[in-house]
Amino acid sequence: MTETYDYIVVGAGSAGCVLANRLTADPRNRVLALEAGGDDNWIWFHVPVGYLFSMGNPRADWLYQTEPIPGLDGRRLNYPRGKVIGGCSAINGMIYMRGQAADYDGWRQLGLSGWGWDDMLPLFLAQEDHIDAAGPLHARGGEWRVEHPRMRWQVLDAFAEAAALEGIPQVADFNGGDNLGVGYFQVNQKAGVRWSAARGFLKPVLRRPNLKLLTGVTVTRVLVENGRAAGVAWESGGRAFEARAAGEVVLTAGAVNTPKLLELSGIGDGARLSALGVETVSHAPGVGENLQDHLQIRPYYRVSGVPTLNTMYGSVWRRPLMAADYALRRRGPMSMAPSQMGAFARSSPDQETPNLEFHVQPLSLDRFGEPLHSFGAITVSVCNLRPSSRGSIHAAGPDIAAPPAIQPNYLASVEDQRVAVESLRLVRRIIARPPLQRFSPEEHRPGAGADSDRDLLAAARALGATIFHPVGTAKMGLASDPMAVTDERLRVRGVGALRVADASVMPRITSGNTNSPTMVIAEKAARMIAEDRP
């Protein structure tokens, strides 16, 4: 028997957890939430350092890879996406970041009313449970816990002093609308334990009688009848199921899986769908286009005379000490986010607001999942916050089980290439300042021999990797924009009773980590749905 719900939420990740919580707060709403992953009943979803074990693990990660990327010398990159309740908030870097006021004001200036900074800040506050006292910029009592890191490092403090000498002021908070500065990141943790969207928003409401959560299900398509989303179909345990939506279907499958599901439901570019063997329900050429992501370049420096994670805990015999510290005090390296210190700066004076973000780490390794180097080191990862290059994500075939074709198209534009070179030069200027020079830094990657613009661009191509912030593949836009997939109320153009409420709707990427902005998009979506309820 096919069941009917008022709302069907596809994806119980960061955004889906918020939607499930907010929609079921109204007892009139009967909500079905569908999640491809499973429960988060694994220790590494909760210990902060668990991201090392989650990424690349089929229990937690979709295990996607990109297509060969021309701008990165044809390399393919791993493209982690959370596959568990809580989604990427269960495996990400836990950094609490809103972005800049200018990001949201820029969306409003595109004609998207209700999306300016003054509109969005109250939504951030509505979710927040900040460890500090409440005030104009922070709140207590919400579901989204925000705390300060539980460990400091002398070498990171020295980086902050050096950055200040380079004109990047030391700050205590990046979330006031102008994130220029250097300091320790705030993190989504509670007393040294990861605080995911599932823990904050979903689990506390699972006993509500009007919420049904199904895990381990693969949604195969949105059922569109007479121009309206009438429900969804899914597979689980080798069997096929359907459910009907009396109200709306809301897609919160993320910037990778939402466009794929739209296309396999017949919503996308007609020619592309025809090539896939999918009947076109609604011609929407923007589906899967406009992909934006932050490319991080990871230079690292050997240092001496100062503790780093490499030297303190890189040896196997020291790991029991690290585990004991975490077990007894919830402190030490196991409580650390992947990056502890951040900095926001301008790559050149012609940038109106900071266009670079640094993720600074008291460690070095060739890539995540591999051993730390045997020498003391600091990594100064830097990314272009507002790339002008655009990529795409599309269904690679008619089979829902086939991974999507992901082409980020990094460093395709001359502007992005210029910013990459400028960012590496800024790293070197900071490292050259006295607070860090006392630790005798020696550049290992890209290496002091890379000096010309051509050399540094080649280094960016060789070192660049995703920092896991894909957005934009079902972007909001005006009716006059043929590439707009959704309108300012997140409704899919051309199909009734269907919305998207995840990172894919961002018309332009925010200037920072994208998890919390995605959750606030879902917060806004829930309010819009309530307003539009018959």
Side-chain angles (χ1 to χ4, degrees), residues 334-357:
M334 291 185 69
S335 72
M336 287 169 48
S339 300
Q340 296 76 54
M341 176 160 284
F344 291 83
R346 296 175 177 85
S347 63
S348 64
D350 60 343
Q351 299 290 335
E352 291 187 11
T353 61
N355 68 318
L356 299 179
E357 180 178 9

Side-chain angles (χ1 to χ4, degrees), residues 359-529:
H359 293 77
V360 191
Q361 306 158 324
L363 57 85
S364 69
L365 38 70
D366 289 329
R367 58 184 60 86
F368 286 113
E370 295 192 1
L372 298 173
H373 295 135
S374 59
F375 49 83
I378 180 174
T379 297
V380 187
S381 173
V382 61
C383 66
N384 178 359
L385 289 171
R386 293 188 291 275
S388 56
S389 301
R390 295 292 184 268
S392 64
I393 297 178
H394 292 291
D399 184 358
I400 192 68
I406 303 171
Q407 179 49 267
N409 217 21
Y410 301 119
L411 298 179
S413 72
V414 173
E415 169 65 12
D416 288 355
Q417 296 169 17
R418 181 176 68 85
V419 171
V421 171
E422 292 171 345
S423 69
L424 288 172
R425 294 201 184 281
L426 178 55
V427 170
R428 286 178 170 174
R429 292 199 300 272
I430 295 172
I431 295 294
R433 291 290 186 169
L436 283 169
Q437 281 298 300
R438 68 179 185 266
F439 304 129
S440 305
E442 176 187 344
E443 184 175 307
H444 270 230
R445 297 184 73 184
D451 192 49
S452 68
D453 287 359
R454 181 177 180 179
D455 291 340
L456 291 176
L457 179 57
R461 296 190 192 281
L463 298 177
T466 177
I467 204 165
F468 323 124
H469 299 163
V471 308
T473 49
K475 75 168 185 174
M476 290 187 286
L478 301 180
S480 57
D481 181 354
M483 300 302 286
V485 178
T486 50
D487 65 13
E488 74 279 0
R489 296 189 71 78
L490 305 180
R491 299 171 296 203
V492 174
R493 295 191 178 279
V495 181
L498 180 61
R499 295 193 208 226
V500 177
D502 57 32
S504 62
V505 304
M506 294 187 190
R508 297 174 184 160
I509 195 167
T510 52
S511 299
N513 309 73
T514 54
N515 188 239
S516 290
T518 297
M519 294 169 66
V520 166
I521 287 171
E523 182 82 28
K524 189 171 181 68
R527 298 186 183 201
M528 290 175 171
I529 291 169

Side-chain angles (χ1 to χ4, degrees), residues 85-108:
I85 58 169
C88 290
S89 73
I91 69 170
N92 70 0
M94 296 163 282
I95 292 172
Y96 180 67
M97 188 65 57
R98 297 171 180 168
Q100 298 171 5
D103 298 331
Y104 304 100
D105 290 343
W107 295 0
R108 183 182 58 199

Side-chain angles (χ1 to χ4, degrees), residues 22-35:
R22 297 302 192 241
L23 292 177
T24 56
D26 184 340
R28 297 176 300 171
N29 295 335
R30 191 166 181 233
V31 177
L32 173 65
L34 301 171
E35 168 56 39

